[in-house]
């Protein structure tokens, strides 16, 4: 193939970004201004059915569905970080091997919510790529959904493309969405770039409908590359696959930045654009390899570059490597990168942290925030890499041996690595199945993935059975309710009781029309509620639903409140009354004291977050919030930090928090755009829900945090915050637990009472207690040392006493050893076995070089044995101490053992003590 001859001006990735945003923001006239929004997190907010953001549209799903108000104006443009590395749409296998696939990529997109539609979008798209980007029209083709005549006509009549360049395709190619199990979707129209006849293939065309359109364009051929997808989102798909029209018509477009850069820069593949080529060269230099000479090395360079960028992004967004969900994906990608680097690029040492720094520096103009996060990202990478290479070599050896064996005995093509073996490699050596598949494929073998999935599912089922808990989101009933009922109106910031209508009742996971019967458990959804559903780390509210007596009187206890998306689900227990039906009204009342204590702890958590950052920043440490949990009973705050917080630092945090409380500023709540919130420096979690308008809670100059929880009106209402513990909960993640308000006072009282009790016991003042205990510990250690010395002497003495009376044999030679079999009396119960052992250990001193010693004793209802046999006797006569005690103990219904020269054992049948001693005597021919 010749390199691509292009006539347009190459654009750098920075220029492409700028032109795309400027086109939608500035160039379409006053009526079509698009607001530019930054990339949301790769972790979707409130979308449990999606692992990592797969498309630019994902953050806006609630707006497409009309569940959240559209922004004003209802048009957005963004460059969104995306990942396609899990599930059916995974591109993992293609990375580095095709022209344009990545685990993570950036998507240029514009979005309209019930605003413009096909007739504007299509001409704009054409204008952007042919005029702004300068691509020649004769190199472009488009596809449309087969029955979408309107789109076909716009392309041919309005834009003026010849009909043979507009190809009708079926649902597989030209229908997009939903991005998760359910959601918005619609027909789409894709724009393809033609690389020219040099890239043609002889395969028959497969994906266009020849009955409606006879032109033989094969869009699956490498000659054509999809560069932009225009989706006309007008349908909603439910969990059964049924589609219904949405209330509004929406536009969602997506153009892969890497691919458009490839085309505009005339590169051979996306890795040879300015997005990646400097990284490829840097990695080649680091590893002493060359790009572009050997396929295996070039592919490995591409894979490692791609994977490292993926890791930098997901770790920055708060994913931590683990064995589940997103954490698994991060761990799998990391291990895959390490394996390629070590096996194909000859890397011997840790390299990911260093290379991550190169990646972050390369993208500094686009993602400047990554620089501050780099130390944390590097420490996670190094820890994970170290952990993996400990088992990698052993696992590879085992897998290699297995594969040679398989190949040697290969009888049919079906043979490959079984699911159980793949699972063993995962379980024992930490090999993600994707990596086992890579290695097996290189050796021409297959992996039984279905068998692996079964083994994995079986393990998960075991773990689940052990946990026995199920979350609401596991049940599609709630997602369907959210889709049909929409978000529940939450009024709980302003009131704790509210009249409401029952919209849905759920019992045993199924929708029901009514519930009744004391102690019946069920869930209820209302049209409006003052109950706070668990989110943002704050637990759900408790309280009651009630109705006046005389009017179908009723009491329902609300034990907990959860959220599924923005649907608030009350977990209830029917208490009193006849029946509760869908459509009825009731009074929903939150338990005020529990809510108040939750608010105290939530407010305290904001202060701890701010103070901890401040104190640790002063020590050169930057932390990221990893989670929090706030309840009426206490609070905890999890954060990433690779070392413990010292007691002095904890003291400073506590001091700072309590001094802010004394200042007593009033709460201010601002509704801001996400950009304004970010600019104002408000703290936010990478995984926090992304919306156009966010709630920022501010307390004076001390704390400013993006949060939907419930908080106190004034800081002074907290009273006091007391830190209870600081600990590690996972590698690199620490947890602070603390209490606030009355509970803090109670904690202080309890700690103080403990100290008083100690002082009373020691008969000294509380202030002397610590130094006294330290002194006592020193003395105790000294006593222990003395006691050990005395015990040794005593053992020696006891043995010396025995030797004269019972020793048999001269001990001159190993053939004729000194033998001593003896029952020792009156040993103290708590140290009997230690004494016996120490006597046996002294045997050589008292009995000389050639000896055999068996000691037995009874303490309470147990018997204990010790045996020592000198080396020489073990060799010559074959008497082994371990065997001797085992035999004696088994006679007494017990067991034990040890080395041939020294062993201990015990049993519970004291009646057999004599018999056991006799058996040893006989064995040693006494
Ligand atoms: N959602 C569509 C895609 O991902 C267009 O943005 O291709």
């Amino acid at each position: 193939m010749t390199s691509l001859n292009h006539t347009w001006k190459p654009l750098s990735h920075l220029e492409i970004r700028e032109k795309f945003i400027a086109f939608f923001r500035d160039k379409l006239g006053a009526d079509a201004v698009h607001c530019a929004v930054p990339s949301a997190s790769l972790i979707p907010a409130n979308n449990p059915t999606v692992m990592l953001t797969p498309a630019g549209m994902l953050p806006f799903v609630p707006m497409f569905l009309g569940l959240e108000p559209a922004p004003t104006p209802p048009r957005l443009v963004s460059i969104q970080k995306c990942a396609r590395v899990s599930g059916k749409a995974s591109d993992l296998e293609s990375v580095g091997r095709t022209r344009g696939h990545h685990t993570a990529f950036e998507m240029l997109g514009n979005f309209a919510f019930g605003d413009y539609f096909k007739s504007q979008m299509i001409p704009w798209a054409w204008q952007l790529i042919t005029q702004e980007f300068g691509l020649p029209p004769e190199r472009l083709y488009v596809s449309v959904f087969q029955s979408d005549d309107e789109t076909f006509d716009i392309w041919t009549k309005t834009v003026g493309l010849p009909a043979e360049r507009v190809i009708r395709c079926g649902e597989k190619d030209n229908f997009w969405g939903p991005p998760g199990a359910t959601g918005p979707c619609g027909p789409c129209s894709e724009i393809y770039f033609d690389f020219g006849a040099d890239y043609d293939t002889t395969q028959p065309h497969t994906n266009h409908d020849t009955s409606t359109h006879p032109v033989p364009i094969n869009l699956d051929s490498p000659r054509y590359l999809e560069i932009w997808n225009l989706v006309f989102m007008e349908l909603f798909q439910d969990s059964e696959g049924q589609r219904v029209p949405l209330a509004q018509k929406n536009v969602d477009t997506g153009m892969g930045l890497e691919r458009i850069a490839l085309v505009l820069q005339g590169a051979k593949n996306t890795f040879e654009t300015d997005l990646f080529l400097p990284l490829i060269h840097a990695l080649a230099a680091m590893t002493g390899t060359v790009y572009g000479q050997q396929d295996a090395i070039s592919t490995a360079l591409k894979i490692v570059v791609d994977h490292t960028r993926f890791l930098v992004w997901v770790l920055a967004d708060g994913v931590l490597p683990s064995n589940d969900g997103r954490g698994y994906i991060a761990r799998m990608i990391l291990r895959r990168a390490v394996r390629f680097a070590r096996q194909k690029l000859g890397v011997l040492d840790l390299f990911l942290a260093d290379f991550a720094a190169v990646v972050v520096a390369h993208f500094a103009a686009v993602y400047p925030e990554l620089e501050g996060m780099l130390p944390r990202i590097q420490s996670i990478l190094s820890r994970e890499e170290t952990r993996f290479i400990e088992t990698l070599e052993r696992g590879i050896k085992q897998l290699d041996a297995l594969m040679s064996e398989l190949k040697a005995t290969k009888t049919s093509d079906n043979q490959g690595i079984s699911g159980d073996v793949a699972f063993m490699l995962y379980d024992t050596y930490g090999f993600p199945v994707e990596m086992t598949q890579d290695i097996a494929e290189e050796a021409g073998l297959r992996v039984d993935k279905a068998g692996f999935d079964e083994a994995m599912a079986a393990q998960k089922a075991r773990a689940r059975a052990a946990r026995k808990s199920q979350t609401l989101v596991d049940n599609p009933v709630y997602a369907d309710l959210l889709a049909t009922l929409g978000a529940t109106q939450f009024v709980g910031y302003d009131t704790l009781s509210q009249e409401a209508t029952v919209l849905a009742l759920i019992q045993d996971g199924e929708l029901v029309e009514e519930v009744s019967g004391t102690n019946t458990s069920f869930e209820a959804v209302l049209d409006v509620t003052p109950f706070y559903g668990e989110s943002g780390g704050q637990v759900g509210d408790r309280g009651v639903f009630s109705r006046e007596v005389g009017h179908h009187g009723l009491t329902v206890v609300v034990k907990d409140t959860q959220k599924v998306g923005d649907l608030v689900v009350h977990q209830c227990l029917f208490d009193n009354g006849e029946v509760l039906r869908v459509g009825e009204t009731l009074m929903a009342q939150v338990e005020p004291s529990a809510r108040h204590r939750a608010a105290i702890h939530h407010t305290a958590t904001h202060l701890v977050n701010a103070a901890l950052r401040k104190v640790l920043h002063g020590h050169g440490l930057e932390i990221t919030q990893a989670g929090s949990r706030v309840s009426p009973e206490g609070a905890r705050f999890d954060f990433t930090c690779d070392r413990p917080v010292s007691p002095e630092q904890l003291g400073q945090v506590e001091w700072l928090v309590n001094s802010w409380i004394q200042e007593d500023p009033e709460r201010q709540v601002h509704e801001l755009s996400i950009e304004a919130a970010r600019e104002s420096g408000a703290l936010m979690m990478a995984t926090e829900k992304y919306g156009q308008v966010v709630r920022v809670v501010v307390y004076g100059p001390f704390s400013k945090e993006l949060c939907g929880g419930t908080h106190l009106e004034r800081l002074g209402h907290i009273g006091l915050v007391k830190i209870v513990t600081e600990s590690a909960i996972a590698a690199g993640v620490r947890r602070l637990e603390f209490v606030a308000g009355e509970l803090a006072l109670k904690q202080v009282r309890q700690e103080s009472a403990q100290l008083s009790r100690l002082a009373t016991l020691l008969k000294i003042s509380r202030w002397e207690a610590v130094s006294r205990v330290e002194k006592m510990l020193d003395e105790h250690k000294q006593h222990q040392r003395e006691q050990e010395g005395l015990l040794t002497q005593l053992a020696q003495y006891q043995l010396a006493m025995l030797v004269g009376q019972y020793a048999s044999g001269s001990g001159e030679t190993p053939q004729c050893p000194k033998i001593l079999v003896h029952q020792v009396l009156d040993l103290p119960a708590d140290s009997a076995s230690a004494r016996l052992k120490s006597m046996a250990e002294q045997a050589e001193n008292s009995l000389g070089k050639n000896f055999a010693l068996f000691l037995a004793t009874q303490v309470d209802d147990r018997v204990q044995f010790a045996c020592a046999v000198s080396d020489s006797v073990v060799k010559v006569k074959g008497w082994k101490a371990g065997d001797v005690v085992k035999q004696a103990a088994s006679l007494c219904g017990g067991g034990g053992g040890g080395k041939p020269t020294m062993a201990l054992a015990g049993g519970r049948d004291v009646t057999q003590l004599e018999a056991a001693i006799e058996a040893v005597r006989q064995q040693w021919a006494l």
Side-chain angles (χ1 to χ4, degrees):
M1 287 184 210
T2 56
S3 82
L4 198 60
N5 240 336
H6 57 88
T7 48
W8 55 92
K9 179 174 166 286
L11 294 177
S12 72
H13 75 90
L14 295 176
E15 288 169 325
I16 299 172
R17 293 170 198 272
E18 177 52 33
K19 272 186 188 289
F20 186 84
I21 299 284
F23 181 78
F24 286 100
R25 192 186 48 205
D26 311 326
K27 298 214 163 167
L28 297 176
D31 294 341
V33 171
H34 288 64
C35 174
V37 292
S39 175
S41 168
L42 271 166
I43 304 176
N46 286 347
N47 201 334
T49 64
V50 178
M51 202 73 92
L52 292 169
T53 299
M57 50 76 72
L58 197 81
F60 314 121
V61 166
M63 301 175 200
F64 286 123
L65 297 179
L67 294 178
E68 270 178 27
T72 322
R75 298 175 288 275
L76 298 174
V77 56
S78 72
I79 304 177
Q80 171 67 43
K81 289 175 289 185
C82 299
R84 291 194 181 168
V85 72
S86 57
K88 287 197 195 81
S90 172
D91 289 335
L92 183 64
E93 290 305 310
S94 308
V95 174
R97 301 188 170 108
T98 63
R99 186 161 36 190
H101 284 98
H102 293 274
T103 51
F105 60 100
E106 289 175 279
M107 191 181 275
L108 308 166
N110 61 294
F111 312 93
F113 311 94
D115 194 55
Y116 60 82
F117 206 48
K118 298 175 183 176
S119 62
Q120 279 115 319
M121 183 60 229
I122 292 172
W124 286 343
W126 190 251
Q127 184 188 343
L128 176 74
I129 51 175
T130 57
Q131 289 170 26
E132 297 293 316
F133 289 167
L135 289 176
E138 65 278 10
R139 304 292 285 267
L140 300 169
Y141 284 83
V142 300
S143 64
V144 298
F145 187 53
Q146 54 201 6
S147 54
D148 190 353
D149 294 334
E150 189 189 351
T151 301
F152 186 89
D153 286 349
I154 298 171
W155 279 117
T156 50
K157 295 188 184 137
T158 317
V159 174
L161 269 188
E164 63 272 18
R165 291 181 165 270
V166 184
I167 296 118
R168 292 179 189 257
C169 293
E171 172 134 354
K172 178 175 145 288
D173 295 286
N174 277 75
F175 192 92
W176 199 90
T182 63
C185 54
C188 62
S189 180
E190 294 173 326
I191 304 179
Y192 284 80
F193 180 78
D194 177 3
F195 283 85
D198 282 348
Y199 287 78
D200 222 341
T201 60
T202 53
Q203 300 159 22
H205 52 87
T206 52
N207 68 349
H208 88 281
D209 184 349
T210 43
S211 63
T212 54
H213 206 281
V215 176
I217 298 295
N218 174 12
L219 297 179
D220 283 345
S221 155
R223 175 171 171 173
Y224 306 97
L225 182 71
E226 178 206 330
I227 52 174
W228 200 358
N229 186 9
L230 318 177
V231 186
F232 305 111
M233 291 213 150
E234 48 186 340
L235 299 168
F236 172 81
Q237 182 171 315
D238 68 18
S239 54
E240 261 137 46
Q242 305 287 340
R243 292 179 188 151
V244 288
L246 285 170
Q248 63 191 31
K249 290 190 191 308
N250 307 295
V251 170
D252 149 39
T253 85
M255 169 159 30
L257 174 64
E258 294 73 8
R259 289 189 177 185
I260 190 71
L262 175 173
V263 170
L264 290 173
Q265 295 174 17
K268 283 214 290 290
N269 59 61
T270 46
F271 288 97
E272 297 188 16
T273 64
D274 64 346
L275 282 159
F276 294 108
L277 201 55
L279 294 176
I280 294 268
H281 288 317
L283 183 62
M286 265 174 79
T287 55
T289 55
V290 181
Y291 176 71
Q293 287 184 357
Q294 288 175 32
D295 278 354
I297 291 184
S298 299
T299 304
L301 285 168
K302 290 176 186 169
I303 291 176
V304 175
V305 164
D306 169 274
H307 286 16
T308 310
R309 187 177 77 159
F310 172 93
L311 289 166
V312 166
W313 281 358
V314 293
L315 298 186
D317 278 348
V319 175
L320 283 172
S322 71
N323 286 338
D324 258 324
R326 300 179 181 107
Y328 172 77
I329 297 177
R331 178 165 281 169
M332 181 268 287
I333 294 288
L334 182 142
R335 294 185 171 184
R336 207 167 173 264
V338 171
R339 208 274 295 183
F340 273 101
R342 297 179 85 85
Q343 285 211 302
K344 308 284 170 185
L345 304 177
V347 167
L348 295 173
D349 296 322
L350 298 187
F351 80 104
L352 271 175
D354 286 346
F355 190 52
V358 179
V359 173
V360 168
H362 178 58
F363 286 102
V366 187
Y367 297 108
E369 70 278 11
L370 293 180
E371 278 172 61
M373 301 180 186
L374 184 61
R376 183 178 68 82
I377 294 173
Q378 288 181 309
S379 94
I380 300 174
L381 290 175
S382 298
R383 196 170 44 237
E384 276 288 308
E385 192 178 2
T386 309
R387 190 171 146 184
F388 179 48
I389 58 184
E390 275 163 17
T391 55
L392 174 66
E393 298 307 327
R394 273 189 290 141
I396 297 256
K397 254 193 214 137
Q398 172 113 355
L399 181 54
D400 278 347
L402 214 114
M403 290 193 305
S404 327
E405 207 174 292
L406 275 176
K407 280 180 143 177
T409 58
K410 192 167 177 178
T411 49
S412 82
D413 284 340
N414 287 337
Q415 253 192 356
I417 293 172
S418 73
D420 286 342
V421 167
F423 185 74
M424 178 280 290
L425 287 167
Y426 167 78
D427 216 27
T428 315
Y429 301 107
F431 278 30
V433 67
E434 292 83 351
M435 198 179 95
T436 305
Q437 283 174 316
D438 289 337
I439 302 174
E441 199 175 296
E442 285 161 16
L445 289 168
R446 291 184 325 113
V447 175
D448 176 9
K449 175 73 172 33
F452 173 86
D453 289 343
E454 254 170 52
M456 187 70 152
Q459 195 201 43
K460 287 211 170 125
R462 285 194 297 274
R464 239 198 326 274
R467 272 202 317 272
K468 262 206 162 169
S469 80
Q470 237 211 343
T471 57
L472 292 182
V473 289
D474 291 339
N475 187 341
V477 163
Y478 299 97
D480 287 347
L481 278 178
L482 177 62
T484 46
L485 302 178
T488 311
Q489 190 193 348
F490 174 64
V491 291
Y493 292 135
D494 307 313
T495 177
L496 294 185
S497 61
Q498 170 71 34
E499 197 180 47
T501 306
V502 180
L503 296 187
L505 295 168
I506 303 101
Q507 204 174 345
D508 298 328
E510 311 258 349
L511 287 176
V512 291
E513 280 302 309
E514 55 176 54
V515 284
S516 58
T518 307
N519 286 335
T520 304
S521 291
F522 66 99
E523 282 91 46
V525 176
L526 309 179
D527 59 341
V528 48
T529 183
F531 282 76
Y532 182 82
E534 174 165 344
S535 54
Q538 181 175 333
V539 298
D541 276 336
R542 341 190 257 247
V544 288
F545 294 162
S546 60
R547 218 162 37 201
E548 300 270 301
V549 185
H551 177 62
H552 307 304
L554 174 89
T555 329
V556 167
V557 177
V558 181
K559 295 176 298 178
D560 189 10
T561 312
Q562 293 285 322
K563 274 176 92 178
V564 177
D566 281 333
L567 186 81
V568 178
V569 181
H570 306 83
Q571 298 192 306
C572 308
L573 205 59
F574 199 95
D575 185 33
N576 219 319
E578 269 185 17
V579 63
L580 176 65
R581 294 193 178 88
V582 173
E584 289 178 347
T585 53
L586 43 71
M587 200 64 188
Q589 284 164 304
V590 175
E591 185 187 320
S593 76
R595 164 68 87 78
H596 182 64
R597 281 181 288 132
I600 286 184
H601 284 116
H602 203 144
T603 311
T605 305
H606 284 213
L607 300 187
V608 168
N609 184 359
L612 191 63
R613 280 167 199 270
K614 199 168 169 144
V615 168
L616 293 185
H617 180 78
H619 291 83
L621 289 171
E622 301 303 332
I623 61 161
T624 316
Q625 181 173 353
S628 66
R629 185 160 177 89
V630 172
S631 75
E633 285 73 38
R636 63 185 199 221
F637 181 77
D638 300 340
F639 56 101
T640 53
C641 185
D642 54 12
R643 68 196 71 161
V645 185
S646 71
E648 293 72 35
Q649 291 163 345
L650 288 180
Q652 287 168 8
V653 171
E654 208 172 73
W655 187 263
L656 209 52
V657 165
N658 286 302
S659 69
W660 293 342
I661 292 171
Q662 284 182 37
E663 299 259 342
D664 193 26
E666 217 172 349
R667 173 189 64 194
Q668 289 176 335
V669 177
H670 303 304
E671 308 252 302
L672 293 181
S673 72
I674 181 86
E675 302 84 43
R678 197 173 277 137
E679 265 165 36
S680 76
L683 291 178
M684 51 184 89
M685 257 180 88
T687 50
E688 190 75 51
K689 179 172 162 39
Y690 180 96
Q692 267 312 287
V693 177
V694 292
R695 191 166 175 268
V696 178
V697 182
V698 182
Y699 288 97
F702 312 125
S703 153
K704 185 185 289 181
E705 195 166 323
L706 198 143
C707 186
T710 64
H711 307 85
L712 298 171
E713 268 164 44
R714 305 193 70 96
L715 273 196
H717 293 169
I718 298 181
L720 179 70
V721 171
K722 180 89 190 85
I723 295 175
V724 183
T725 57
E726 193 270 353
S727 59
I729 51 164
V733 188
R734 318 277 323 167
R735 169 169 294 171
L736 274 193
E737 292 180 56
F738 49 95
V739 280
E742 272 176 27
L743 290 179
L745 200 59
K746 212 164 154 190
Q747 175 77 18
V748 173
R749 289 288 328 144
Q750 276 169 351
E751 286 177 13
S752 166
Q754 289 291 323
L755 190 59
S756 296
R757 169 130 182 76
L758 193 64
T760 311
L761 283 174
L762 295 170
K763 298 195 174 61
I764 48 171
S765 87
R766 289 158 43 127
W767 306 111
E768 289 165 305
V770 171
S771 58
R772 173 64 62 88
V773 170
E774 273 168 356
K775 191 159 160 251
M776 286 169 72
L777 282 174
D778 278 348
E779 285 168 6
H780 179 67
K781 254 191 218 134
Q782 178 64 23
H783 288 154
Q784 266 181 330
R785 270 197 295 273
E786 283 169 14
Q787 193 185 6
E788 267 157 36
L790 284 172
L791 275 178
T792 314
Q793 278 179 19
L794 191 62
Q796 250 168 350
Y797 174 74
Q798 278 179 308
L799 205 59
M801 297 284 290
L802 294 171
V803 171
Q805 300 163 18
Y806 290 93
S808 108
S810 65
E812 299 281 298
T813 63
Q815 275 299 348
C816 187
K818 277 197 175 149
I819 301 173
L820 181 59
V821 175
H822 184 65
Q823 181 177 355
V824 185
L825 299 175
D826 300 330
L827 288 182
D830 56 352
S831 62
S833 83
R835 294 268 193 114
L836 274 195
K837 181 160 182 250
S838 132
M839 284 170 77
E841 278 165 353
Q842 298 302 322
E844 199 166 348
N845 283 345
S846 310
L847 298 173
K849 275 208 301 282
N850 307 312
F851 67 89
L853 165 79
F854 179 79
L855 299 174
T857 191
Q858 178 180 348
V859 267
D860 301 334
D861 53 355
R862 285 177 293 128
V863 288
Q864 303 250 275
F865 305 113
C867 180
V869 182
S870 66
D871 253 343
S872 53
V873 176
V874 174
K875 276 197 200 108
V876 173
K877 292 185 94 80
W879 297 350
K880 292 194 184 119
D883 293 348
V884 174
V885 291
K886 208 189 256 164
Q887 191 197 7
S890 74
L891 281 173
C892 302
K899 291 182 296 190
T901 51
M902 165 59 101
L904 290 175
R908 293 228 163 251
D909 188 356
V910 293
T911 62
Q912 294 304 306
L913 179 61
E914 298 285 332
I917 295 174
E918 196 44 43
V920 179
R921 286 215 164 99
Q922 279 180 14
Q923 207 183 331
W924 288 350
L926 282 180

